[in-house]
Amino acid sequence: MNDTLAGWLQILALVGALALTYRPLGDYMAHTLTSAKHLRVERFAYRLGGVDGDADQKWSVYLRSVLAFSAVAVLFLYGFMRLQNHLLLSIGMPAVTPGVSFNTAASFVTNTNWQSYSGESTMGHLVQMSGLAVQNFVSAAVGIAVVAALIRGFTRNKTDRIGNFWVDLTRIVVRVLLPLAFVFAIVLVAGGAVQNFHGVDSISTLVGDHQSLTGGPVASQEVIKELGTNGGGFYNANSAHPFENPNAFTNLLEIYLLLVIATSLPRTFGRMVGDNRQGYAIIAVMGVIWAASVAIVTVNELHSVSSQAGHAAGGMLEGKEQRFGVWASALFAVSTTLTSTGAVNSFHDSFSPIGGGMTIFNMMLGEIAPGGTGSGLYGILILAIIAVFVAGLMVGRTPEYLGKKLGGREMKFASLYILTTPAIVLIGSGLAMAMPGQRAGMLNTGPHGFSEVLYAFTSAANNNGSAFAGLTVNTDWYNTALGLAMLFGRFLPIVFVLALAGSLARQQPVPATAGTLPTHRPQFVGLLTAVILIVVGLTYFPALALGPLAEGLS
């Protein structure tokens, strides 16, 4: 079988698997978020936390719960890493330095999982399992809980209550993430992924040299890093490491896992608002953007003329695993940067200028096609509100979305959401480029070097976590700056999303009229896609012109 046929077959298999999952998983998550019944284990968790499982919260209380939970998680994870050398299963690893501990705590709590360290030589097994892997579960659950609150803002009327964060968090972890992670961890182990408690073993190679190999609970962390769109690798090579991603089957499975929840959430949205067509419209926009990105990156990696050697070899093979090749590497790169996953099976720094530029642009879109667990859906719903507002301006009437009027208050929250992440990315990149000491961390000069810095802040602020490579970020300045970018990039948008949810929930719904914009038709799919591309293009085009576009044209 030639590479082209194999590439097309894996794309079709992936799309088919996601299509088969869309309805049952989406319906199940809708049931989970709307059911009035609590499981026994959930009631036990509520008693431990002193939570009334039947009491809903105002948006401000919901927000305080999110922030308080996340703040405690950051402090706990920071202390866990600082005390690592005194804990069980440390496998001889010393305490993690303060800068790396802060950066990593901020990274995993915000669902970013940016890593400025080498996992196999820095973290012991207990920290990996009870610290990092636990945050992989709960940070993903926080994103789904926030989008559930926003959906309730559309469905509830004349109330100041949008749900209970502690109930949402517990249900998502217990009913959705844990069962899926358990099943697919077994599949990964069966596919060859490592799962043990071995420390650092020295082995003799075929040529008589010695090599140190670190074992550990890899498969159990690998599955939730993909399923929860987290992305942190047990090993420095991430999903290019054969212990994490042994073969072509596990590679396709991991791509499926990082997409499956995010692609099913539009169905959950449609069920919760009582109109499945709304979910179909959202997933159609996501699908168009994802397919276009896959096509652009794959074509450029196969036929780029920027590298004559790569062109002669039949594709840009530098930085890619021979086990996967160009097609699977491009598919993984697009899927991981269009979600907030950040796992990589190849080095994006080695991609062609346009291919690498697309991975940056995917994150700049806000990772909404399909995006992170929860964060992708609430991101595209904010953009849908912007699109409806633009359409309202065109016809000169007050815009409405799902029966709720979009007035000045709602549009302020939506606009602040749209502006927050670009401000963090551009300010952070500008500061790094203005400081000679930080420019020295770039492996390359010129446009490619700028792309390395731009990618780093784009990845951090959008809570992606993947790295372009080529940039030395394990310094006090970068650990602090990127850590702050992750925190602000995660929680400031959540503030505006929950405030918007509260504002919508207080409204009395308005009936649809002849002038109401249908938001389930192909015309709206086209409008929303155009608004997404125009908003991002106008915001980031100057920065992209200085980096990947300038390199591609040179």
Side-chain angles (χ1 to χ4, degrees):
M1 183 183 299
N2 61 48
D3 290 345
T4 301
L5 178 58
W8 277 110
L9 288 176
Q10 69 180 352
I11 291 174
L12 292 175
L14 175 63
V15 172
L18 293 172
L20 290 173
T21 311
Y22 174 79
R23 182 169 181 170
L25 182 56
D27 289 349
Y28 176 70
M29 288 191 289
H31 174 74
T32 297
L33 294 168
T34 57
S35 173
K37 295 182 179 180
H38 306 292
L39 301 181
R40 182 176 300 176
V41 65
E42 294 167 352
R43 291 196 297 269
F44 176 71
Y46 303 153
R47 285 196 297 271
L48 286 180
V51 174
D52 182 356
D54 297 315
D56 278 355
Q57 299 172 321
K58 299 179 180 178
W59 78 264
S60 56
V61 178
Y62 200 103
L63 173 62
R64 288 201 296 270
S65 300
V66 171
L67 296 179
F69 175 76
S70 301
V72 170
V74 169
L75 293 174
F76 171 79
L77 193 54
Y78 177 86
F80 210 4
M81 288 182 285
R82 295 290 293 135
L83 297 173
Q84 173 177 247
N85 56 318
H86 300 295
L87 303 175
L88 296 173
L89 298 176
S90 65
I91 60 172
M93 300 295 180
V96 183
T97 62
V100 173
S101 295
F102 166 73
N103 183 276
T104 305
S107 176
F108 277 76
V109 171
T110 59
N111 199 242
T112 311
N113 295 45
W114 172 275
Q115 293 173 295
S116 61
Y117 60 89
S118 175
E120 63 265 46
S121 61
T122 306
M123 301 296 178
H125 293 341
L126 189 64
V127 170
Q128 292 274 24
M129 291 188 302
S130 302
L132 305 186
V134 167
Q135 289 306 314
N136 285 350
F137 280 95
V138 295
S139 66
V142 167
I144 300 176
V146 171
V147 79
L150 177 60
I151 296 172
R152 294 187 191 110
F154 288 109
T155 60
R156 296 186 177 184
N157 310 314
K158 302 179 70 174
T159 181
D160 58 356
R161 312 287 166 156
I162 59 171
N164 188 313
F165 169 71
W166 306 107
V167 172
D168 291 338
L169 179 75
T170 304
R171 286 185 174 188
I172 294 162
V173 171
V174 171
R175 301 191 193 185
V176 179
L177 297 178
L178 276 172
L180 289 175
F182 178 80
V183 171
F184 284 108
I186 295 174
V187 177
L188 275 181
V189 171
V194 168
Q195 182 74 14
N196 56 46
F197 286 105
H198 293 177
V200 181
D201 295 327
S202 180
I203 63 171
S204 297
T205 66
L206 293 175
V207 295
D209 292 333
H210 292 281
Q211 183 177 359
S212 296
L213 296 178
T214 304
V218 178
S220 57
Q221 185 163 331
E222 185 74 14
V223 67
I224 189 57
K225 99 172 187 186
E226 311 292 9
L227 190 64
T229 61
N230 297 282
F234 195 96
Y235 297 97
N236 188 47
N238 208 284
S239 291
H241 198 290
F243 287 3
E244 291 192 28
N245 192 2
N247 51 54
F249 166 73
T250 58
N251 187 69
L252 187 60
L253 176 64
E254 290 185 14
I255 299 174
Y256 168 79
L257 289 176
L258 63 89
L259 291 169
V260 64
I261 291 180
T263 55
S264 299
L265 277 171
R267 173 71 181 191
T268 303
F269 166 64
R271 285 295 301 273
M272 290 180 69
V273 300
D275 186 354
N276 290 330
R277 297 174 301 174
Q278 302 294 334
Y280 292 138
I282 295 298
I283 194 63
V285 176
M286 292 177 171
V288 167
I289 295 174
W290 179 84
S293 184
V294 169
I296 292 171
V297 174
T298 302
V299 168
N300 274 276
E301 294 311 295
L302 287 171
H303 305 295
S304 173
V305 296
S306 62
S307 170
Q308 295 301 322
H311 185 66
M316 301 287 289
L317 296 176
E318 179 190 348
K320 296 180 177 67
E321 273 289 309
Q322 294 298 311
R323 291 174 295 145
F324 308 134
V326 172
W327 282 82
S329 299
L331 182 61
F332 201 116
V334 169
S335 300
T336 197
T337 52
L338 276 173
T339 61
S340 65
T341 310
V344 295
N345 73 349
S346 58
F347 284 107
H348 299 172
D349 187 46
S350 297
F351 277 39
S352 65
I354 302 302
M358 275 303 299
T359 63
I360 303 177
F361 187 69
N362 288 342
M363 294 184 290
M364 289 175 172
L365 285 174
E367 297 167 334
I368 43 86
T373 49
S375 61
L377 182 56
Y378 67 64
I380 201 169
L381 289 178
I382 296 291
L383 286 161
I385 288 172
I386 299 291
V388 171
F389 181 74
V390 170
L393 292 178
M394 291 178 179
V395 298
R397 68 186 310 273
T398 303
E400 305 159 12
Y401 187 43
L402 301 177
K404 297 297 178 74
K405 287 188 175 181
L406 304 177
R409 180 180 176 85
E410 290 76 25
M411 293 313 302
K412 287 176 184 176
F413 291 137
S415 300
L416 288 170
Y417 178 96
I418 296 297
L419 293 172
T420 295
T421 304
I424 297 170
V425 171
L426 298 176
I427 291 172
S429 300
L431 288 174
M433 295 303 296
M435 303 169 70
Q438 309 316 319
R439 290 201 304 271
M442 299 186 306
L443 178 65
N444 299 278
T445 59
H448 195 82
F450 176 71
S451 294
E452 293 171 354
V453 175
L454 182 64
Y455 191 107
F457 280 96
T458 302
S459 177
N462 285 281
N463 302 130
N464 183 273
S466 64
F468 209 48
L471 179 67
T472 302
V473 293
N474 194 6
T475 65
D476 289 340
W477 190 87
Y478 270 113
N479 278 327
T480 303
L482 293 173
L484 292 174
M486 296 173 208
L487 292 171
F488 289 135
R490 173 72 162 181
F491 296 113
L492 281 179
I494 285 178
V495 171
F496 303 130
V497 169
L498 293 177
L500 177 61
S503 180
L504 293 170
R506 283 194 293 269
Q507 291 188 28
Q508 175 71 30
V510 295
T513 66
T516 301
L517 174 69
T519 55
H520 60 275
R521 295 180 180 173
Q523 295 92 327
F524 182 72
V525 171
L527 173 64
L528 179 52
T529 303
V531 166
I532 291 170
L533 297 177
I534 291 171
V535 168
V536 172
L538 291 176
T539 304
Y540 287 109
F541 181 78
L544 291 170
L546 293 173
L549 292 179
E551 184 182 3
L553 294 172
S554 62

